[in-house]
Amino acid sequence: MRLTSVLLLASSASAISFPDLTPVTNLFARKDGGSGKCPAVWSSISKELTANFVTGGQCNPLARAAIREIFHDCGAWNTAQGAKGGCDGSLILAGELARGENNGLQNISAFLNTTAIKWGVGVADMIVFAGNHAIVSCPGGPTVKTWIGRKDSKTPAPNGLLPDVNAPAATLSKLFQDKGFDDRDLAALLGAHSTSNQFNFDTTPGKQGAPQDSTPGVWDVKYYGETLSPPQGVVVLPSDSKLAAYNGVGKEFKGFVNNQGKWNGKFADAMGKMALFGSAGTSGMVDCTDALPKSTNVKRELRAMPMFKPRN
């Protein structure tokens, strides 16, 4: 998964009081979800994605790019935008791939656009479904509530809503407070780097393509401990290092070390919220969570990994 900027990173200083986010909370309420049945096409799409996202029992580079894709389409949003922007497919449809922060997403974007056209579904829904599919395709990955029924947009997202990897922790904190995330949400979302390889941050020989934890094909909490104490071969982004030590988010970050169950639950909640950025709740949408593959056991996959074999 190519990275030129933080996927979605933020923190909130404990001394800063959060604004009233009740309208945002209401925006993401699931009680207004439609009762319609998920179209059968999404089960067919799911089978195709599995064939492309899983190699040797682990999530492969295409799957890991799909995780980055959902962050970059949905995450270019803040609460001031309300029910517009966010998860709207503009990453692919509005020329946003030319932006530096989206470098490296061209191949996965082409794949998802082609797949959406093939099956006659929206690009925005395809990005969200594929991102959540990729998360659970990784051994140990949680199931994220997945709604279908978004409107595609050719209006570019505003600039400056995806943070720079070198930004100060306080700047990232404010950026993500404006998205409606608290310290725990952001500490949990940082863990998506468990399946990340960086290609553009450090291009020195031996560093380009290096993972951000030692098991990038597996969804596990090694990222948290290895960010705090990096082993050889693991690259830690400056933003990750800063946020891991920054006030409230740092406390939550350390709380996920060796705590897979806690992290999975908090990540799924935060990701479910992000996947509805730009939607007016779930009215008129259908729940297609059951079309996603079933989660796999991280311990079983780790035991099956050959010793000393390079990982995808």
Side-chain angles (χ1 to χ4, degrees):
M1 180 164 47
R2 300 172 184 265
L3 288 158
T4 58
S5 64
V6 187
L7 295 181
L8 272 180
L9 313 173
S11 151
S12 304
S14 57
I16 299 175
S17 59
F18 289 118
D20 181 8
L21 296 176
T22 301
V24 180
T25 303
N26 291 339
L27 180 66
F28 300 129
R30 295 175 179 170
K31 62 183 179 180
D32 60 345
S35 58
K37 184 178 180 181
C38 179
V41 66
W42 289 102
S43 293
S44 298
I45 292 170
S46 183
K47 292 178 182 178
E48 180 169 336
L49 292 179
T50 295
N52 284 276
F53 282 175
V54 178
T55 301
Q58 297 184 46
C59 54
N60 61 27
L62 191 67
R64 304 200 292 270
I67 298 172
R68 184 180 176 220
E69 183 95 350
I70 185 175
F71 273 92
H72 280 240
D73 189 44
C74 295
W77 180 90
N78 59 26
T79 58
Q81 293 176 243
K84 63 180 181 179
C87 309
D88 62 2
S90 63
L91 176 63
I92 293 174
L93 299 172
E96 293 174 25
L97 290 170
R99 298 178 181 179
E101 65 265 26
N102 296 324
N103 189 29
L105 290 173
Q106 286 76 15
N107 289 341
I108 183 63
S109 295
F111 171 75
L112 295 180
N113 190 45
T114 298
T115 306
I117 293 171
K118 172 184 175 180
W119 293 102
V121 300
V123 171
D125 281 336
M126 177 61 71
I127 290 173
V128 170
F129 188 84
N132 288 346
H133 188 291
I135 289 166
V136 77
S137 293
C138 297
T143 299
V144 178
K145 195 78 168 176
T146 302
W147 296 91
I148 295 297
R150 296 165 186 79
K151 293 182 179 179
D152 286 351
S153 174
K154 294 183 179 180
T155 301
N159 281 302
L161 297 181
L162 292 175
D164 190 301
V165 67
N166 293 304
T171 299
L172 297 171
S173 170
K174 179 63 170 61
L175 187 67
F176 285 90
Q177 285 182 38
D178 290 346
K179 299 180 191 298
F181 289 123
D182 63 20
D183 290 336
R184 183 168 293 179
D185 291 332
L186 269 298
L189 289 171
L190 283 168
H193 285 167
S194 168
T195 60
S196 170
N197 295 75
Q198 73 82 29
F199 287 84
N200 299 298
F201 166 66
D202 188 342
T203 60
T204 57
K207 294 291 184 68
Q208 192 170 31
Q212 289 183 254
D213 85 358
S214 57
T215 54
V218 176
W219 189 271
D220 58 26
V221 289
K222 286 191 175 183
Y223 160 79
Y224 289 97
E226 292 179 354
T227 296
L228 297 171
S229 181
Q232 185 175 2
V234 168
V235 170
V236 177
L237 300 180
S239 47
D240 289 35
S241 179
K242 294 171 188 176
L243 290 168
Y246 185 70
N247 295 336
V249 75
K251 178 181 178 181
E252 298 293 345
F253 190 100
K254 294 175 179 65
F256 292 131
V257 174
N258 297 325
N259 200 333
Q260 180 86 20
K262 177 182 177 181
W263 172 50
N264 270 0
K266 298 305 178 185
F267 180 90
D269 289 344
M271 195 68 203
K273 178 189 286 188
M274 186 190 301
L276 289 173
F277 280 178
S279 299
T282 54
S283 180
M285 304 178 82
V286 294
D287 184 356
C288 285
T289 309
D290 287 345
L292 297 173
K294 303 303 179 186
S295 59
T296 56
N297 186 288
V298 62
K299 292 182 179 179
R300 183 182 68 236
E301 296 300 334
L302 285 173
R303 284 197 300 268
M305 290 168 62
M307 291 292 289
F308 310 117
K309 181 180 179 179
R311 301 181 178 95
N312 291 328

